[in-house]
Amino acid sequence: MRSSTESPHGWPEKGLQAQRPSNASTTGSVTLCRRQGGAGRSNSNVRLWPTCCVDNAFTSRREAWFSLGRRTLAHTAGASKMVKLSDAVSSSRRKSRKNHFTATSVTRHKIMSSHLNKELREKYQVRSVPVRKDDEVSVVRGTYKGREGKVVAVYRKRWVIHIERITREKVNSATVNVGIDPSKVVITKLKLDKDRRSLLERKKGSKDADKGKGKFSEKEVQAMQDVD
């Protein structure tokens, strides 16, 4: 049997006039009160329940819990929030997913890049390039790890590449290529042409330019010492 001041769900009725109990502890603007068991309940049933005190009127326990949870989540989110590196890029998950799945073919060409293996990386001083048809790759992760072959197609619509000899058989006995994500392969041999060589030179040049950025040369250090 519940008290006349309780709702059917066991919450105190809204607008209940009461004084703050002597056994209450305050956390911010939320009061945690020890509530003894009422009629039909054992006295050992002691629960902590929060109440927001506004003009000596307690709101419902449910609203108090929601208020306390919102403040806790806001405090946690504020403490771990990362500072945005670029105002031009949204940090919204919804917008990021939309941009990814509606990307143009040119954008997908850049995103579908693969790392070069150790030998090619040392030779060209480039970490990764967009994968293209006729490149030779090696699968380093996933179900087909350890398989090697030549790229026969770059399927930008599905964000995958097709590699020769990596196929499966359908129910109707037809053989089809298995799509492999470009991030799961490394390039072992590049298909070089004029555009590919130009790309490698540009990437290497920008890397060399960034290497000395923000650093003073010996002549500049000596000149500053002479001025002092």
Side-chain angles (χ1 to χ4, degrees):
M1 180 176 180
R2 65 173 181 271
S3 171
S4 61
T5 60
E6 287 185 346
S7 68
H9 302 289
W11 312 108
E13 289 291 350
K14 212 170 183 179
L16 174 65
Q17 295 292 330
Q19 298 296 325
R20 179 178 296 182
S22 59
N23 60 351
S25 61
T26 303
T27 304
S29 61
V30 177
T31 305
L32 298 177
C33 305
R34 301 189 72 83
R35 183 171 179 273
Q36 300 290 340
R41 300 173 183 162
S42 63
N43 291 331
S44 62
N45 184 17
V46 179
R47 293 184 292 175
L48 280 175
W49 56 289
T51 53
C52 294
C53 182
V54 181
D55 297 331
N56 293 328
F58 293 126
T59 59
S60 68
R61 177 170 59 174
R62 179 180 298 175
E63 293 181 4
W65 273 126
F66 289 164
S67 177
L68 179 62
R70 282 195 296 269
R71 281 196 298 276
T72 305
L73 290 174
H75 175 73
T76 306
S80 61
K81 186 176 180 181
M82 181 178 177
V83 179
K84 287 185 66 173
L85 301 179
S86 174
D87 291 334
V89 180
S90 174
S91 58
S92 169
R93 179 177 182 270
R94 173 180 61 84
K95 293 180 181 179
S96 297
R97 285 176 56 82
K98 180 182 178 181
N99 292 337
H100 178 77
F101 292 110
T102 60
T104 62
S105 181
V106 176
T107 304
R108 292 177 184 233
H109 170 68
K110 294 181 180 180
I111 296 175
M112 294 178 66
S113 297
S114 298
H115 281 202
L116 304 182
N117 64 0
K118 189 175 181 180
E119 292 77 13
L120 293 178
R121 191 183 306 173
E122 292 175 353
K123 180 179 179 181
Y124 296 106
Q125 296 297 308
V126 174
R127 179 179 293 274
S128 63
V129 294
V131 66
R132 60 156 292 176
K133 184 179 177 181
D134 294 333
D135 283 341
E136 293 186 12
V137 298
S138 174
V139 183
V140 293
R141 283 183 294 277
T143 306
Y144 300 96
K145 179 179 178 180
R147 303 279 291 273
E148 297 182 357
K150 185 179 289 187
V151 177
V152 296
V154 179
Y155 201 167
R156 295 181 188 174
K157 185 176 181 180
R158 294 184 179 271
W159 299 94
V160 295
I161 61 176
H162 292 163
I163 305 173
E164 63 179 1
R165 295 190 300 275
I166 298 184
T167 58
R168 68 179 180 87
E169 190 172 323
K170 296 175 68 175
V171 178
N172 60 0
S173 300
T175 302
V176 294
N177 292 98
V178 177
I180 305 292
D181 194 283
S183 64
K184 295 184 178 182
V185 305
V186 294
I187 300 175
T188 57
K189 186 177 180 181
L190 289 168
K191 168 67 175 179
L192 291 176
D193 55 14
K194 184 179 68 175
D195 294 333
R196 207 72 179 281
R197 289 191 179 92
S198 176
L199 172 65
L200 293 172
E201 290 174 2
R202 289 199 310 271
K203 291 176 73 72
K204 181 181 178 181
S206 62
K207 186 176 180 180
D208 293 339
D210 292 340
K211 190 174 294 183
K213 186 180 292 184
K215 297 182 179 180
F216 294 107
S217 63
E218 294 181 2
K219 292 182 179 179
E220 291 174 334
V221 173
Q222 187 63 36
M224 288 188 289
Q225 291 177 351
D226 294 341
V227 171
D228 295 339

